[in-house]
């Protein structure tokens, strides 16, 4: 195996949508960083069966503004 070609593999904290936390090893971020999830298996419709609109980036508002003249609402 070649030296100095692999990314740093370290431990981070992951915070789920309900506030629970766990540690995992990854190449994301830096040692000790915290990854906060917007969607996880506890809140994703594929696992919960409850469908709701999640608009973290303003896409729904953008859609409604663009198509308001057509009378379409999300």
């Amino acid at each position: 195996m070649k030296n100095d070609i692999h990314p740093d593999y370290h431990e981070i904290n992951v915070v789920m949508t309900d506030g629970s936390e766990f540690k995992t090893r990854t190449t994301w971020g830096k040692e000790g960083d915290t990854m906060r999830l917007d969607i996880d298996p506890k809140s994703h419709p594929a696992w919960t069966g409850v469908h709701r609109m999640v608009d973290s980036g303003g896409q729904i508002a953008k859609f409604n503004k663009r198509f308001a003249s057509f009378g379409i609402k999300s």
Side-chain angles (χ1 to χ4, degrees), residues 10-74:
H10 50 270
E11 194 170 87
I12 65 166
N13 299 317
V14 178
V15 179
M16 306 284 269
T17 56
D18 67 352
S20 62
E21 298 181 23
F22 66 92
K23 291 184 185 272
T24 190
R25 294 186 52 82
T26 184
T27 58
W28 180 87
K30 297 180 182 107
E31 178 76 30
D33 278 355
T34 300
M35 177 186 286
R36 298 188 184 281
L37 302 178
D38 292 332
I39 299 175
D40 61 27
K42 294 179 180 180
S43 65
H44 194 281
W47 289 279
T48 63
V50 177
H51 297 282
R52 63 187 171 108
M53 298 301 263
V54 178
D55 189 19
S56 60
Q59 294 298 313
I60 295 173
K62 189 175 177 182
F63 175 88
N64 287 339
K65 182 179 176 184
R66 176 182 268 175
F67 296 104
S69 63
F70 293 108
I72 299 172
K73 294 199 176 182
S74 58

